[in-house]
Amino acid sequence: MGNLGDLEIFARIVTAGSLSAAGREMGLSPPVVSKRVQRLEERLGARLFQRTTRKVTLTEAGQGFYDRVVAILASIEEAESQLARKSSEARGLLRVSAPTSFGRLHIAPHLRPLLDANPDLTIDLELSDSFVDIVGEGFDVAVRIADLDDSSLVARRLASVHRVLCATPDYLARVGEPRHISELSGHVLLATHGQDPWRLEGPDGPVTLRVHSQLRTNSNEVVREAVLASVGIALRSTWDVGPELRSGALKVVLPRWRASHRVGLFAVYPSRRFLPQKVRVFIDHLAALYGQVPPWDEGLDQLLEQQQAA
């Protein structure tokens, strides 16, 4: 495989986390992988990895080299695609990370047209509510719901994200509906570990609220089910509870207060000079799906205006 093969092995070790794991993925024995890495380090005159019995980590020189190798391999993949006259199609393995609930509701149901149009594309969709290390864990692209103004990654905004306070009519009838932000302290507030505190914007300016609840969880879906079960008030995205807001199963609480407007839905990927076609096609597919007004927000503005006027 020559020098290029050594670069491919090096990059695979980084994403796999160890020499043995990289060897298994590439069909090579650990001694062969170790020898190729040693040859690469000797040729470069620099140590690329710190090795332990369990894992390998990049040295400072190795990290800088890895960033360049990823760009080189991506460029080669793109050139091969164009040479094969498949530049309009995505091909190969596309590793995607996305939030659990959003991926289940708004990505997975819409993959068939993308896969039908790109028969040589394989999607590995991993759902997690943690922010993964895209480069370190070998993902091509991640879908994130966040404020990414300070991100070092390349990010494309796919849609706005609106988060509102909500509860069931049953809970509000039983406990009472708060009329001012200060009254939330007397209610059960539901949030995941990572969602505490709440940062809200409203007529009195920005407010930060600590969430205290008998229920603690790391799962957004547990919070969703709890609010639907009339346990308390939650801060939920309209993409998650839009149908329940429209049907009346949930009611917006303090409709003049929303979560920060800076939070959005983004596709993020490592900074590369040449974006692989498979990544571009996937991102374009999502952007077309969500459009200027995402499907989950259709009609909700009128609903919120009615509640504010009430």
Side-chain angles (χ1 to χ4, degrees):
M1 291 191 293
N3 294 345
L4 179 59
D6 291 344
L7 297 183
E8 292 174 333
I9 291 174
F10 166 71
R12 188 64 65 91
I13 292 170
V14 175
T15 58
S18 70
L19 275 68
S20 59
R24 287 193 298 271
E25 291 180 4
M26 302 186 75
L28 300 174
S29 67
V32 169
V33 174
S34 179
K35 184 177 179 179
R36 299 294 286 273
V37 171
Q38 183 179 358
R39 184 174 72 179
L40 180 60
E41 290 178 328
E42 289 175 352
R43 187 167 71 248
L44 297 172
R47 190 171 184 81
L48 300 174
F49 293 109
Q50 297 289 356
R51 299 171 177 82
T52 68
T53 55
R54 293 187 177 183
K55 66 177 183 178
V56 294
T57 56
L58 286 169
T59 62
E60 183 178 353
Q63 182 62 61
F65 186 62
Y66 176 74
D67 293 340
R68 290 169 174 79
V69 167
V70 168
I72 290 170
L73 295 177
S75 299
I76 291 173
E77 182 180 359
E78 185 76 3
E80 288 177 346
S81 177
Q82 292 177 353
L83 187 61
R85 297 181 181 179
K86 291 184 177 180
S87 59
S88 62
E89 291 185 1
R91 64 188 182 97
L93 176 64
L94 176 68
R95 297 197 66 220
V96 181
S97 171
T100 304
S101 298
F102 187 87
R104 177 175 59 82
L105 292 171
H106 300 292
I107 296 180
H110 305 291
L111 290 179
R112 181 179 174 182
L114 178 64
L115 294 172
D116 286 347
N118 300 275
D120 295 325
L121 177 67
T122 300
I123 296 177
D124 179 1
L125 177 61
E126 296 194 18
L127 302 183
S128 171
D129 291 327
S130 300
F131 271 25
V132 300
D133 178 356
I134 296 177
V135 174
E137 298 185 35
F139 286 99
D140 297 293
V141 61
V143 177
R144 288 185 175 170
I145 300 170
D147 174 1
L148 294 183
D149 282 354
D150 296 328
S151 174
S152 61
L153 299 169
V154 179
R156 177 176 172 183
R157 192 180 185 96
L158 299 175
S160 297
V161 171
H162 300 118
R163 293 179 295 164
V164 298
L165 296 164
C166 58
T168 63
D170 176 68
Y171 171 84
L172 297 174
R174 187 176 76 250
V175 182
E177 183 170 351
R179 298 299 177 181
H180 189 270
I181 193 74
S182 61
E183 296 178 18
L184 286 177
S185 60
H187 287 264
V188 176
L189 306 182
L190 303 169
T192 63
H193 300 152
Q195 201 187 21
D196 182 14
W198 288 348
R199 294 178 175 84
L200 304 173
E201 299 173 353
D204 299 329
V207 170
T208 299
L209 293 177
R210 296 310 304 258
V211 178
H212 301 286
S213 173
Q214 292 176 283
L215 175 64
R216 297 185 178 185
T217 179
N218 66 339
S219 169
N220 273 302
E221 296 194 345
V222 168
V223 171
R224 184 181 191 278
E225 294 307 310
V227 72
L228 287 170
S230 301
V231 175
I233 297 173
L235 181 64
R236 305 303 297 168
S237 297
T238 54
W239 60 257
D240 188 32
V241 295
E244 288 75 16
L245 293 174
R246 292 187 188 88
S247 70
L250 288 176
K251 180 180 178 181
V252 175
V253 176
L254 298 172
R256 296 182 184 277
W257 292 87
R258 309 274 189 94
S260 173
H261 69 281
R262 293 163 60 90
V263 173
L265 177 70
F266 294 88
V268 298
Y269 46 94
S271 179
R272 296 176 179 174
R273 185 177 178 183
F274 299 105
L275 184 65
Q277 184 69 8
K278 60 185 179 182
V279 177
R280 180 181 294 109
V281 166
F282 177 77
I283 294 174
D284 287 346
H285 178 69
L286 294 187
L289 274 175
Y290 307 145
Q292 287 290 104
V293 178
W296 54 80
D297 275 346
E298 291 179 358
L300 283 179
D301 282 344
Q302 294 88 334
L303 176 65
L304 293 176
E305 288 175 2
Q306 291 172 4
Q307 293 199 14
Q308 287 178 9

